[in-house]
Amino acid sequence: QAGLVESGGGLVQAGGSLRLSCAASGGIISIRSITWYRQAPGKQRELVASISSGGITDYADSVKGRFIVSKDSAKNTVYLQMNSLKPEDTAVYSCAGELLDGAGPNRYSGQGTQVTVSS
């Protein structure tokens, strides 16, 4: 089944790093654009970072200088490198975006992966 699968979440101490992956699978030809979101308990979902089909990146102010989004087209995978993590980064991180499948460009989203940063 075509879709996106996130991985790489976990428990890390403040100041540490994690790399999340957002992998396309199930007959996806290519990734065009991906946005990473996060949602903490009791809070609204917020946009964290995005990467366009041309590789242009954008970040929320809260993560600028700490997070890096990148794309490996050969692996149909987008990464979110998270450095200098803070307890307030704790959330479920998910990816969504436009993928090219056999029927053309379509939007897909993943289930999310938990990131917990301890103080």
Side-chain angles (χ1 to χ4, degrees):
Q1 185 174 351
L4 292 169
V5 179
E6 302 95 338
S7 62
L11 174 64
V12 64
Q13 287 189 331
S17 298
L18 282 175
R19 188 177 79 158
L20 305 183
S21 298
C22 171
S25 63
I28 298 299
I29 298 171
S30 65
I31 292 176
R32 289 194 167 183
S33 61
I34 288 289
T35 299
W36 282 98
Y37 299 91
R38 68 184 180 187
Q39 186 164 20
K43 295 188 177 180
Q44 286 191 328
R45 187 178 74 161
E46 64 171 328
L47 187 154
V48 176
S50 63
I51 185 163
S52 72
S53 57
I56 297 173
T57 58
D58 195 18
Y59 301 91
D61 288 343
S62 58
V63 306
K64 276 181 183 175
R66 300 189 298 123
F67 290 12
I68 300 171
V69 59
S70 62
K71 182 168 56 175
D72 185 334
S73 297
K75 294 183 178 181
N76 270 345
T77 300
V78 170
Y79 301 100
L80 184 67
Q81 177 68 43
M82 306 187 296
N83 303 317
S84 302
L85 284 162
K86 305 174 182 180
E88 51 263 43
D89 293 319
T90 295
V92 174
Y93 286 71
S94 60
C95 60
E98 187 177 80
L99 311 181
L100 185 63
D101 60 25
N106 284 291
R107 285 198 61 84
Y108 290 87
S109 59
Q111 293 297 312
T113 185
Q114 176 70 46
V115 170
T116 303
V117 184
S118 64
S119 57

